[in-house]
């Protein structure tokens, strides 16, 4: 398969292809331990979304969409028509949903770790959760829009990783975190303005879809997972008793076996 120069990625292993899509801030390297685990039996490709690694940043005046991000997967879809699987975490989970819909005739399994298609909260009357997501979005847009990424990063880190997370970071880590958050400015447009109804997702995503979440995750994610459980009873649902939203990054020893089981 010819590799596109514009999309940065990690690659390892052999077997059926599995495309890994990272969360906001983290980048493809968040999957290193999962790649090590799965490489003996799978061909792993971890892509970097817009603005991560050496993948170019989003530079269009147009509002970014999930489809824009999902198109980055296209060059890695097996050209011989063979089946492949997709794993996505958080924002990467929402992108994975769109990619799985776009290439549904070749998608074998889909694994969503705490996905965040927050527009569904609005369309299904989860008013408080949607308001919570909107408040976080507004901080990122307002602070980031004026170049104050440290303020945006503090609010973002404390929301997703727990209160006090920002204060616990060494200052050099804070600088790197704030710089890595910049692509998130556009990612919010994807998850707040997508229009695909949940009934369509239920039809176009594979029956072999697994959703993984932690009981102690943030309210917006808990409500989103709840919507999936109500509307996609044929999917598989796996939860951790604790670990929070960032367990895929901070507790891979707990998450990775669940992903492996879902794929195999």
């Amino acid at each position: 398969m010819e590799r596109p120069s514009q999309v940065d990625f990690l690659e390892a292993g052999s077997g059926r292809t599995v495309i890994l899509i990272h969360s906001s801030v983290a980048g493809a390297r968040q999957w290193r331990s999962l790649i090590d685990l799965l490489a003996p039996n799978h061909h792993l490709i971890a892509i970097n979304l817009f603005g991560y690694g050496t993948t170019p940043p989003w530079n269009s005046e147009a509002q970014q969409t999930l489809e824009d991000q999902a198109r980055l997967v296209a060059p890695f879809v097996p050209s011989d028509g063979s089946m492949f699987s997709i794993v996505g975490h958080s924002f990467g989970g929402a992108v994975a949903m769109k990619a799985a819909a776009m290439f549904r005739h070749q998608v074998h399994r889909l694994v969503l770790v705490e996905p965040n298609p927050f527009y569904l909260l609005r369309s299904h009357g989860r008013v408080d959760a949607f308001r919570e997501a909107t408040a976080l979005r507004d901080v990122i847009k307002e602070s980031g829009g004026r170049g104050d990424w440290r303020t945006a990063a503090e609010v973002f880190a404390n929301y997703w990783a727990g209160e006090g997370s920002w204060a616990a970071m060494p200052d050099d880590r804070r600088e790197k975190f704030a710089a890595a958050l910049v692509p998130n400015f556009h990612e919010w447009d994807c998850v707040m303005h997508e229009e695909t109804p949940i009934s369509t997702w239920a039809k176009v995503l594979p029956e072999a879809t697994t959703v993984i979440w932690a009981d102690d995750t943030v309210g917006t994610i808990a409500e989103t997972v709840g919507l999936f459980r109500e509307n996609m009873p044929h999917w598989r649902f796996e939860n951790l008793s604790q670990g929070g939203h960032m367990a895929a990054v901070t507790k891979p020893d707990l998450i990775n076996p669940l992903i492996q089981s879902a794929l195999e």
Side-chain angles (χ1 to χ4, degrees), residues 18-22 45 47 49 65-78 84-88 91-112 117 119 190 194 196 201 204-206 209:
V18 180
I19 296 176
L20 309 174
I21 308 179
H22 63 82
I45 299 172
I47 69 169
L49 299 173
T65 68
L66 287 179
E67 184 174 346
D68 292 322
Q69 292 279 12
R71 285 195 192 111
L72 299 179
V73 171
F76 304 98
V77 174
F84 71 101
S85 297
I86 308 176
V87 178
F91 177 63
V95 175
M97 290 169 63
K98 178 61 78 170
M102 290 168 63
F103 306 107
R104 56 186 174 274
H105 299 300
Q106 282 183 253
V107 176
H108 178 54
R109 297 182 186 278
L110 174 64
V111 184
L112 306 173
Y119 75 97
C190 300
E194 174 68 27
T196 305
W201 290 124
V204 302
L205 295 183
T209 293

Side-chain angles (χ1 to χ4, degrees), residues 114-145:
E114 301 231 342
N116 70 344
F118 288 149
Y119 75 97
L120 291 172
L121 298 173
R122 178 189 64 238
S123 58
H124 286 266
R126 299 322 202 253
V127 177
D128 290 342
F130 186 72
R131 186 180 297 119
E132 189 174 307
T134 300
L136 180 58
R137 187 273 312 273
D138 289 349
V139 170
I140 303 303
K141 289 286 193 179
E142 292 167 8
S143 299

